[in-house]
Amino acid sequence: MERKIRKAAVLGSGVMGAGIAAHLANVGIPTLLLDIVPRELTEDESKKGLTLADSVVRNRIAQSGKDRLLKEKPAPLYDKKCIDLITVGNFDDHLSLLSDVDWIIEVVVENLDVKKQVFAQVEAHRKPGTIVTSNTSGVSINEMAEGRSEDFRKHFLGTHFFNPPRYLKLLEIIPSHDTDPSIVAFMSDFGEHVLGKGTVLCKDTPNFIANRIGTYGLQVSIHEMQRIGLGVDEVDALTGPVIGRPKSATFRTLDVVGLDTYVHVAGNVRNKSTDAQEKAIFEVPEFVLQMVEKRMIGQKAGQGFFKQIKSAQGKEILALDTQTLEYRPSIKAKFASLDAAKTAKTLPEKLRALAYGKDKGSEFVWSVLKKVLLYSADKAHEIADDLVAVDQAMKWGFGWELGPFETWDAIGVEKSVARMREEGETIPALVEELLASGKTSFYNKNEGRTTVFSIGGIYKNVEEKKERINLAALKEQGKLIRKNAGAALIDLGDGVACLEFTSPHNALGMDLLQMAHVAAEEVQKNFVGLVIGNQGKNFCVGMNLAMALMEAQDENWLELDLLVTNFHKAGRVLRYLHRPVVAAPFGMTLGGGVEVLYLADRAQASAETYLGLVEVGVGLLPGGGGTKEMLFRAMENLPDTGSVPVDSFPLVAKAFETIAMAKVSTSGQEAINLGYLRATDRISINPDHLLYDAKQLVLSMDKEGYTPPAPRKIKVIGETGYANLSQNVYAMKKSGYISDHDELIANKIAYVMSGGDLPAGTEVTEEYILGLEKQAFLELLKTQKTQQRMQHMLTKNKPLRN
């Protein structure tokens, strides 16, 4: 019988429990959220005459967890409507409902005795075969399972989500000695394909993989900071994106996590370790304990290693002096090695510049890297089955661009080990075995295929799942068809090609438009369809703003007119191609990125797609077909009433508002709600599967017998509709919400979306609206205030309201 998870229950409605329930709701799973019954009434409940027997009181804690989901930022829910899939209750009254669920997730306090008590209660109500898991960050899975029945133990394991559950990719799967291997395989597959996670199999050791190594790295960073005499702001400058780590670096990460949580996690390894050296490393420094005592525990307390205050200059970030526990103004880190790293082109080059420099900054980075790499190699096979699991856990759980063993390869194993020996370090057996075998890297690549070093001195193939298409690997395998400076055409296999952006930040330029024509010709001749996608940081953040501003300042209007015209031509070529075209947006998909999306028949969007026509922020309107397409898509929602006239103004007004207010979706689902995507477009929960899913959509469209769309016509709202929209814009200006230039931009958008100077009900073509759109775009581009907005965005990276 095929196993499915149709319903779930989450036990514990704190930040993690509610967040896990939210993500289950995101993927369409009805979820029961339970917590303890309050022991006393709140002041508000007493005033209302409620008692401890009232259900609203008894469910209060779980209900509070659910309510919090609508307020938190970043949003835990793809769509606020998802919250309707969460039902609240309490442990005393509703545990019997566990008999109706397929997965029970425990997310209560990190205390073994409490967890065992909860599982004893769960076992009294769960039906045989129900999967039960713990979201523990480090309590032993085997110890939790002690005393439970054989069926319970067979279906019990750890599923450790990282916070926030929607956004952090890692899901650690930790089986016990008794867990049925088929359940482990099912949960790993379910985590990847349904929850969209990167699943990593861990051994039941303290803090598992990511927290074990990540916490070690944080501890080492604190120790080395104190030894070398750096400030927390200097350390963060050295341990952020410059070495392939998140912007939150070291101490801002600790502020986000919370020092109270961090102390608990570090103590978990210290208390369970039998290694004296390891115990010493995980001993939390006294000043950190003092910070916890003083409630200087991070963001949730308003102060931690950093504190934000209001000053005469606006908001100011103060940094903690760890010697005095007083706050001081932040300082800018100044190290020659850091400057060299910032100018280096690739991450390995940046790492080498910092690791092998000659100043205090490089001394710190080398010391931390050295210790983390040695620790990772020493513990790798204690905590995981292979090195890939360790690297993936750190990338997916802590946001590292390179895992420990990938980092070691980047700085050079031979060179770094020679220096470590000189410094008196003990080299782990795993590394000695690597070098003794004559090899100099943990990973090897050959024609796009990757192998990894394993115990026994052999290299094993890294698993390559069919759902994880890797464009860089395909190029290495000779699948590149054509390329230019800003785009490439790649063979995805099975008769599907991919048009990839390769320009800096995937900004739009003539290179992409030229490659669009090449792609259309090639696909028409030799392929069944096309995917428009890439694997950069974001799908596309819009046009090349610097280039457009330069042309405008030089008054090269013919060049700009040609750019817009060529974009429209590329749109027509792809839109009327006799092959299906699917766009695969993800991440930031803004401005021209949305308009590229509109060149395709369908979209296969990542669940994490932040999509919006944001041109008003730089004083423009969408000029590459975005204004036209939003208008025509709005008209698609007109109800079919036969010969009875339908008022289309509300639909046009909604689309106008979306563009004029530069609304950006917080998920792929919300992009559908805003009208940027159609209800028939698809969402991929796992970002690693996006291109594969897009490819499958192309193949299914081809199999169904694809025919290109016919040219569309609509009846515009005309002069009267424009007057109504313009009146609303004027009212906002009079109320002080928008500036004169905002009013000008909004009226240009309204004019285009109304159909210009035509009577209401006049039928027009797409080409007619495109003509209005281009004219308005170029007119705005000629204004001084729009050029000022563009300049401000380029220099300050934020909009100017002039």
Side-chain angles (χ1 to χ4, degrees):
M1 183 180 72
E2 184 182 5
R3 180 179 290 275
K4 289 187 178 180
I5 292 177
R6 298 177 179 85
K7 292 182 182 180
V10 176
L11 310 182
S13 63
V15 172
M16 278 303 295
I20 291 169
H23 194 57
L24 291 172
N26 285 337
V27 299
I29 297 174
T31 301
L32 182 64
L33 181 62
L34 304 182
D35 214 312
I36 60 173
V37 174
R39 294 179 180 176
E40 54 188 41
L41 296 172
T42 64
E43 185 178 339
D44 187 52
E45 288 167 343
S46 295
K47 287 179 180 178
K48 291 179 180 178
L50 298 171
T51 72
L52 290 173
D54 288 306
S55 62
V56 67
V57 175
R58 296 176 72 77
N59 297 340
R60 185 223 306 153
I61 295 177
Q63 185 65 51
S64 295
K66 177 179 176 179
D67 293 343
R68 196 170 56 245
L69 297 174
L70 296 174
K71 303 171 186 175
E72 287 182 358
K73 291 184 179 180
L77 298 162
Y78 290 157
D79 182 347
K80 288 184 177 180
K81 294 177 184 176
C82 293
I83 203 163
D84 294 335
L85 288 173
I86 300 174
T87 303
V88 300
N90 64 75
F91 292 161
D92 290 4
D93 303 329
H94 301 109
L95 282 180
S96 62
L97 298 177
L98 298 182
S99 63
D100 192 38
V101 306
D102 307 297
W103 181 21
I104 301 166
I105 313 146
E106 168 273 310
V107 201
V108 302
V109 64
E110 288 285 83
N111 178 288
L112 177 60
D113 292 335
V114 173
K115 289 178 184 292
K116 292 185 76 169
Q117 289 172 20
V118 169
F119 290 131
Q121 292 176 291
V122 167
E123 184 155 29
H125 296 283
R126 73 179 275 275
K127 63 179 181 286
T130 301
I131 295 173
V132 183
T133 70
S134 173
N135 183 62
T136 179
S137 59
V139 178
S140 170
I141 302 301
N142 283 294
E143 289 179 16
M144 280 189 269
E146 288 176 359
R148 303 274 61 83
S149 68
E150 181 183 358
D151 183 80
F152 186 103
R153 295 197 311 274
K154 283 177 62 178
H155 295 87
F156 178 70
L157 66 159
T159 49
H160 181 211
F161 290 81
F162 277 64
N163 191 34
R166 168 183 165 180
Y167 296 96
L168 281 190
K169 186 174 178 178
L170 180 60
L171 176 62
E172 291 182 319
I173 304 288
I174 315 103
S176 74
H177 299 316
D178 301 315
T179 309
D180 186 330
S182 69
I183 299 299
V184 177
F186 170 79
M187 288 305 297
S188 296
D189 184 76
F190 176 83
E192 179 177 351
H193 291 89
V194 179
L195 300 179
K197 297 299 176 187
T199 57
V200 171
L201 194 62
C202 307
K203 295 180 180 179
D204 187 20
T205 54
N207 287 8
F208 314 127
I209 298 176
N211 274 344
R212 181 78 171 268
I213 292 174
T215 306
Y216 181 89
L218 291 169
Q219 282 288 98
V220 165
S221 297
I222 295 173
H223 292 316
E224 292 302 307
M225 174 189 72
Q226 291 182 301
R227 181 181 69 81
I228 295 172
L230 299 179
V232 295
D233 35 15
E234 291 177 303
V235 168
D236 273 11
L238 292 163
T239 57
V242 72
I243 63 167
R245 305 287 171 81
K247 288 182 180 179
S248 57
T250 298
F251 291 104
R252 277 171 293 172
T253 294
L254 284 169
D255 277 354
V256 172
V257 170
L259 267 68
D260 51 346
T261 301
Y262 171 71
V263 168
H264 170 80
V265 173
N268 195 48
V269 179
R270 185 185 67 247
N271 295 336
K272 294 192 175 184
S273 176
T274 56
D275 182 330
Q277 280 189 317
E278 186 176 38
K279 274 184 176 291
I281 284 291
F282 280 94
E283 194 69 48
V284 177
E286 180 60 31
F287 82 87
V288 176
L289 297 176
Q290 290 178 26
M291 289 175 68
V292 173
E293 189 178 328
K294 294 174 183 257
R295 292 297 295 168
M296 300 165 66
I297 57 174
Q299 278 187 3
K300 56 189 173 186
Q303 57 180 2
F305 288 106
F306 296 94
K307 181 179 182 179
Q308 182 175 290
I309 63 167
K310 289 183 180 178
S311 66
Q313 291 74 37
K315 293 179 180 177
E316 184 181 356
I317 305 295
L318 301 180
L320 185 75
D321 183 322
T322 58
Q323 300 296 318
T324 64
L325 294 191
E326 298 291 334
Y327 290 98
R328 58 164 175 77
S330 295
I331 59 174
K332 185 176 181 180
K334 294 181 180 179
F335 302 109
S337 59
L338 180 59
D339 292 337
K342 286 179 177 178
T343 58
K345 291 183 178 180
T346 67
L347 181 53
E349 288 172 343
K350 292 176 187 293
L351 285 165
R352 290 193 290 270
L354 273 167
Y356 300 125
K358 301 296 182 183
D359 54 31
K360 284 173 68 174
S362 61
E363 180 187 355
F364 171 83
V365 171
W366 165 255
S367 297
V368 172
L369 277 182
K370 174 181 72 172
K371 291 178 183 296
V372 170
L373 297 182
L374 289 170
Y375 185 76
S376 299
D378 187 49
K379 302 297 180 185
H381 290 290
E382 175 188 326
I383 62 179
D385 288 329
D386 56 51
L387 306 189
V388 176
V390 175
D391 280 344
Q392 287 178 331
M394 298 316 300
K395 291 191 288 186
W396 293 342
F398 276 73
W400 295 9
E401 284 186 47
L402 298 175
F405 298 100
E406 292 169 324
T407 298
W408 215 327
D409 283 353
I411 66 171
V413 178
E414 277 189 310
K415 181 177 181 179
S416 60
V417 169
R419 180 175 174 182
M420 291 173 188
R421 291 192 205 280
E422 289 175 7
E423 295 173 356
E425 301 291 350
T426 301
I427 308 303
L430 174 70
V431 185
E432 294 283 22
E433 188 174 16
L434 173 78
L435 296 174
S437 69
K439 306 296 183 182
T440 58
S441 64
F442 290 101
Y443 290 90
N444 278 331
K445 283 189 175 182
N446 184 27
E447 296 183 350
R449 315 229 180 257
T450 304
T451 56
V452 62
F453 185 77
S454 300
I455 287 179
I458 60 171
Y459 281 84
K460 294 182 179 178
N461 289 327
V462 175
E463 181 184 14
E464 296 176 357
K465 295 187 177 181
K466 64 179 182 180
E467 296 93 346
R468 298 180 187 175
I469 292 175
N470 185 316
L471 294 179
L474 288 176
K475 290 177 186 177
E476 292 174 6
Q477 293 166 23
K479 301 297 183 180
L480 178 66
I481 302 167
R482 293 278 293 276
K483 73 171 184 176
N484 61 25
L489 189 64
I490 303 165
D491 185 352
L492 297 182
D494 300 317
V496 180
C498 177
L499 174 58
E500 178 195 28
F501 314 160
T502 59
S503 60
H505 308 295
N506 287 341
L508 300 180
M510 291 299 294
D511 291 328
L512 176 65
L513 301 181
Q514 291 167 0
M515 190 57 66
H517 288 277
V518 170
E521 183 178 349
E522 186 72 30
V523 169
Q524 187 66 54
K525 289 180 182 177
N526 301 313
F527 292 85
V528 301
L530 177 70
V531 169
I532 302 175
N534 64 80
Q535 292 177 319
K537 186 177 180 180
N538 296 295
F539 179 74
C540 177
V541 295
M543 70 174 175
N544 186 328
L545 195 61
M547 180 271 292
L549 177 60
M550 182 179 66
E551 297 287 6
Q553 290 174 334
D554 291 343
E555 299 186 357
N556 290 331
W557 308 122
L558 287 177
E559 287 291 327
L560 288 164
D561 187 300
L562 182 63
L563 175 66
V564 178
T565 299
N566 283 338
F567 198 103
H568 292 168
K569 284 182 179 178
R572 282 191 291 271
V573 165
L574 291 178
R575 186 167 183 82
Y576 300 115
L577 187 68
H578 285 255
R579 299 286 185 270
V581 179
V582 172
F586 63 94
M588 303 303 289
T589 303
L590 303 175
V594 180
E595 293 173 315
V596 168
L597 167 66
Y598 288 162
L599 305 183
D601 299 291
R602 300 275 294 279
Q604 180 77 47
S606 170
E608 299 302 339
T609 301
Y610 317 117
L611 195 151
L613 292 167
V614 296
E615 284 84 350
V616 295
V618 290
L620 296 168
L621 56 66
T627 310
K628 177 271 298 180
E629 189 62 23
M630 286 294 284
L631 172 63
F632 273 75
R633 289 186 176 213
M635 292 302 198
E636 290 173 354
N637 295 318
L638 278 172
D640 184 4
T641 59
S643 59
V644 180
V646 178
D647 182 11
S648 61
F649 180 82
L651 295 173
V652 177
K654 181 182 177 184
F656 162 77
E657 181 182 280
T658 300
I659 296 176
M661 295 184 69
K663 292 183 179 180
V664 177
S665 72
T666 60
S667 67
Q669 180 58 51
E670 193 179 15
I672 294 175
N673 299 344
L674 290 173
Y676 287 129
L677 298 179
R678 295 185 173 102
T680 53
D681 289 325
R682 296 183 181 179
I683 306 293
S684 291
I685 302 298
N686 192 319
D688 288 346
H689 298 179
L690 181 61
L691 288 180
Y692 175 84
D693 293 341
K695 174 182 169 182
Q696 298 310 305
L697 181 53
V698 166
L699 293 172
S700 68
M701 291 169 71
D702 174 65
K703 188 176 180 180
E704 290 165 5
Y706 175 77
T707 55
R712 297 173 292 176
K713 293 182 179 181
I714 58 166
K715 293 180 179 180
V716 295
I717 59 175
E719 294 172 306
T720 55
Y722 171 69
N724 289 332
L725 290 175
S726 186
Q727 183 60 39
N728 292 338
V729 172
Y730 177 74
M732 290 189 70
K733 202 279 289 283
K734 290 294 288 182
S735 299
Y737 290 112
I738 62 175
S739 68
D740 288 345
H741 198 55
D742 291 326
E743 182 184 26
L744 174 66
I745 299 164
N747 279 332
K748 293 285 187 186
I749 299 168
Y751 185 79
V752 174
M753 299 189 83
S754 301
D757 301 322
L758 295 176
T762 302
E763 191 171 70
V764 301
T765 64
E766 294 181 75
E767 293 301 316
Y768 171 78
I769 298 296
L770 278 176
L772 295 179
E773 178 186 289
K774 181 171 77 169
Q775 180 182 352
F777 177 82
L778 294 173
E779 286 172 352
L780 286 170
L781 199 49
K782 292 177 182 179
T783 66
Q784 183 182 13
K785 287 189 175 181
T786 283
Q787 291 180 23
Q788 288 172 348
R789 289 190 178 194
M790 295 169 73
Q791 184 71 49
H792 194 269
M793 180 62 75
L794 287 167
T795 56
K796 304 291 186 180
N797 198 30
K798 58 184 180 181
L800 171 68
R801 301 304 300 271
N802 57 350

